[in-house]
């Protein structure tokens, strides 16, 4: 390729990185890598490279999704904490939920607003929060719905239910963090090493060195599949 | 007959695109034939073993889902107890706020109570439904406390603490071996990287010899 083509490809991939992150770059690059390798080293190399890059990209996507969900789960404690603090000031649960809105992060705010809108439109509080929590994998919102429902039906103070909810949520978060801090650095190092081996194997195949063809294919397969398999071991 | 089709196809495919003189694809093709035949010969017993292993994996996954759902259930029961609900009503309502096999078992519990079964009978059936040693013990203790008339809120808070500390011990045991697994995997990848880097040099060395 000419230098201009390299620069154009680099700029395109950088734009992909900005919009879709590393997994977006891999998703875009995979077919081109497969095509180049199929031409340079045969169909088998191309197919295996496409599969390996796809698997590696799936690992990155999985981790990204997991991280976003974890962050959202942790963030969902904040408005409930705010509701707990407001519960002694306001008699109405609706007002508490409304007053807790500024405590939500940008992504959670949308979900919170949606649940609140449903609730104020007339659906029962438990249904509004339960549905939003279920749809987005946020058990705390589901349980908030339960707390609101119990308080409404039995006339018990909302703060008492929220206190139990917050205490249990904090304990769960502590446990999750402890387990993650023990394993994630090892996983990250393994995945980084797999990425390097994957890139080296693609380079070796593209360079067309015949003797290490099978070693490169074996390296592609293991470096592509191992991070995905080990990511599922993470607590 | 079909046992030969795959290796022949693989051999034809690989040989078509490869340089002459490279023996590996041909050796691989020659090996795949007997392996495929052997696989066809042992397919029936192997199939039964695979099916049984699959069932075991399925039931282990269901048990795992139940265990993961229990802390949420206990929080739910804690809140319901705070509102003054009795155990059976709290369990019946909790079905709407749980997921998977735990929600199904709680729904069956509610149906049994609605159909006129006594709470003790329905709890016994729930214990059998959930079927893990940990939930067995938990439901047994909650049922006993309810029969003795002990306050549900205090029982639930105590059992939740116990459950979480047991779960933490179990998670510690599981997590403890993961660094070794990751180190072994990283070692394998490192070896592959070294093999990849050294292959051209090794081949040229073999060529000079």
């Amino acid at each position: 390729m000419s230098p201009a083509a390299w620069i154009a490809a680099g700029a395109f991939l950088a734009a992909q990185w900005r919009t879709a992150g590393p997994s977006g770059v891999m998703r875009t690059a995979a077919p081109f890598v497969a095509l180049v390798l199929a031409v340079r080293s045969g169909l088998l190399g191309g197919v295996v490279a496409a599969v390996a890059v796809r698997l590696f990209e799936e690992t990155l996507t999985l981790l990204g999704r997991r991280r976003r969900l974890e962050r959202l789960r942790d963030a969902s404690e904040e408005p409930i904490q705010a509701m707990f603090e407001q519960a002694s000031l306001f008699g109405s649960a609706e007002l508490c939920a409304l007053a807790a809105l500024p405590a939500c992060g940008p992504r959670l705010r949308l979900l919170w607003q949606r649940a609140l809108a449903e609730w104020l439109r007339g659906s029962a509080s438990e249904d509004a929060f339960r549905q939003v929590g279920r749809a987005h994998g946020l058990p705390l919102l589901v349980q908030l719905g339960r707390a609101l429902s119990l308080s409404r039906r039995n006339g018990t103070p909302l703060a008492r239910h929220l206190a139990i909810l917050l205490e249990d949520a904090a304990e769960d978060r502590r446990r999750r963090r402890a387990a993650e801090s023990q394993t994630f650095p090892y996983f990250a190092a393994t995945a980084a090493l797999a990425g390097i081996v994957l890139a080296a194997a693609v380079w070796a195949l593209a360079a067309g060195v015949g003797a290490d063809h099978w070693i490169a294919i074996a390296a592609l397969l293991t470096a592509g599949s191992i991070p995905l398999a080990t990511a599922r071991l993470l607590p | 007959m079909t046992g030969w089709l795959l290796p022949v196809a693989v051999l034809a495919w690989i040989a078509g695109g490869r340089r002459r003189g490279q023996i590996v694809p041909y050796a691989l093709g020659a090996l795949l034939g007997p392996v495929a035949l052997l696989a066809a010969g042992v397919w029936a017993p192997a199939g039964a073993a695979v099916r049984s292993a699959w069932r075991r994996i399925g039931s282990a996954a269901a048990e795992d889902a139940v265990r993961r759902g229990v802390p949420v259930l206990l929080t739910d029961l804690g809140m319901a107890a705070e509102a003054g609900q009795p155990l059976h009503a709290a369990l019946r309502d909790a079905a709407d706020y749980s997921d998977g096999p735990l929600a199904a078992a709680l729904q069956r519990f509610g149906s049994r109570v609605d159909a006129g079964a006594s709470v003790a009978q329905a709890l016994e059936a729930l214990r059998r439904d959930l079927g893990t040693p940990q939930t067995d013990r938990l439901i047994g203790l909650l049922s006993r406390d309810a029969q003795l008339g002990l306050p549900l809120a205090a029982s639930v808070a105590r059992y939740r603490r116990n459950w979480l500390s047991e779960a933490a011990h179990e998670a510690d045991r599981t997590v403890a071996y993961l660094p070794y697994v990751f180190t072994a995997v990283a070692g394998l990848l490192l070896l592959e990287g070294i093999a990849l880097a050294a292959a051209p040099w090794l081949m040229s060395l073999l060529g000079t010899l």
Side-chain angles (χ1 to χ4, degrees):
Chain A
M1 283 207 308
S2 68
W6 278 112
I7 290 167
F12 178 64
L13 289 179
Q16 280 288 308
W17 185 288
R18 274 180 67 85
T19 53
S23 58
V25 171
M26 296 198 86
R27 203 175 308 133
T28 312
F32 295 108
V33 169
L35 194 66
V36 168
L37 290 192
V39 170
R40 304 276 311 213
S41 79
L43 186 61
L44 183 63
V47 170
V48 169
V51 171
V53 173
R54 178 76 188 79
L55 288 174
F56 200 80
E57 181 240 311
E58 183 63 29
T59 313
L60 294 179
T61 311
L62 186 82
L63 286 178
R65 202 182 307 142
R66 212 182 122 118
R67 219 167 177 72
R68 277 195 299 278
L69 186 64
E70 289 278 312
R71 240 183 263 151
L72 199 59
R73 269 187 190 177
D74 290 349
S76 63
E77 267 180 60
E78 308 262 323
I80 297 176
Q81 179 69 43
M83 268 184 92
F84 172 69
E85 284 157 12
Q86 309 285 349
S88 55
L89 295 176
F90 300 114
S92 135
E94 285 94 333
L95 277 179
C96 286
L98 200 58
L101 198 56
C104 299
R107 186 146 178 250
L108 188 63
R109 187 168 301 156
L110 282 175
L111 304 180
W112 194 270
Q113 277 169 341
R114 197 179 303 162
L116 205 54
E118 282 287 314
W119 185 14
L120 297 177
R121 204 178 295 147
S123 123
S125 55
E126 61 266 33
D127 278 347
F129 279 100
R130 188 176 59 185
Q131 278 165 12
V132 170
R134 277 260 165 86
H136 294 88
L138 298 171
L140 268 183
L141 288 199
V142 177
Q143 286 183 304
L144 173 63
R146 171 72 159 148
L148 290 167
S149 148
L150 282 166
S151 168
R152 180 174 57 83
R153 279 193 293 171
N154 300 288
T156 40
L158 182 62
R160 268 161 65 183
H161 300 300
L162 293 184
I164 295 175
L165 187 54
L166 285 167
E167 192 187 329
D168 291 355
E171 207 166 333
D172 281 340
R173 179 166 38 82
R174 269 198 301 277
R175 268 190 325 126
R176 270 190 287 122
R177 287 265 168 84
E180 194 182 290
S181 66
Q182 281 176 48
T183 49
F184 194 78
Y186 290 95
F187 171 75
T190 308
L193 193 57
I196 293 167
V197 171
L198 189 74
V202 167
W203 185 263
L205 278 178
V209 186
D212 55 358
H213 183 98
W214 292 99
I215 297 174
I217 284 187
L220 273 178
L221 279 175
T222 44
S225 57
I226 275 178
L228 188 59
T230 48
R232 296 189 188 279
L233 292 175
L234 288 173
Chain B
M1 179 61 199
T2 51
W4 285 107
L5 280 179
L6 179 68
V8 167
V10 169
L11 188 60
W13 177 53
I14 294 173
R18 302 262 44 85
R19 291 182 204 90
R20 282 183 191 165
Q22 202 171 40
I23 197 70
V24 180
Y26 298 96
L28 198 71
L31 272 173
L32 273 175
V35 169
L37 274 180
L38 196 65
V42 298
W43 175 246
V50 167
R51 277 194 296 279
S52 134
W54 188 251
R55 269 198 300 274
R56 271 204 302 275
I57 290 170
S59 83
E63 278 188 18
D64 196 39
V66 167
R67 272 200 299 269
R68 269 186 284 116
V70 167
V72 176
L73 172 69
L74 286 173
T75 302
D76 205 61
L77 290 183
M79 290 193 296
E82 200 64 42
Q85 279 193 334
L87 178 63
H88 64 91
L91 280 173
R92 194 169 48 188
D93 286 356
D96 293 336
Y97 299 90
S98 309
D99 285 314
L102 183 60
L106 289 169
Q107 265 160 6
R108 283 195 293 277
F109 169 83
S111 309
R112 285 190 194 104
V113 172
D114 290 343
S118 72
V119 174
Q121 280 171 340
L123 281 172
E124 186 54 38
L126 176 65
R127 222 159 79 148
R128 278 198 307 274
D129 263 5
L130 293 175
T132 73
Q134 296 95 328
T135 48
D136 235 37
R137 204 167 59 242
L138 177 71
I139 303 281
L141 288 169
L142 285 172
S143 168
R144 189 205 59 189
D145 286 3
Q147 276 169 3
L148 291 173
L150 298 175
L152 180 60
S155 304
V156 166
R158 192 168 62 245
Y159 297 141
R160 191 174 199 280
R161 270 198 305 277
N162 291 351
W163 180 278
L164 286 180
S165 82
E166 275 175 29
H169 282 307
E170 200 178 318
D172 279 348
R173 277 202 299 276
T174 313
V175 161
Y177 79 88
L178 283 181
Y180 299 108
V181 171
F182 284 128
T183 308
V185 167
L188 174 76
L189 285 167
L190 206 59
L191 276 179
E192 269 186 354
I194 291 168
L196 205 58
W201 177 75
L202 279 175
M203 294 315 289
S204 69
L205 191 71
L206 282 175
T208 54
L209 291 175

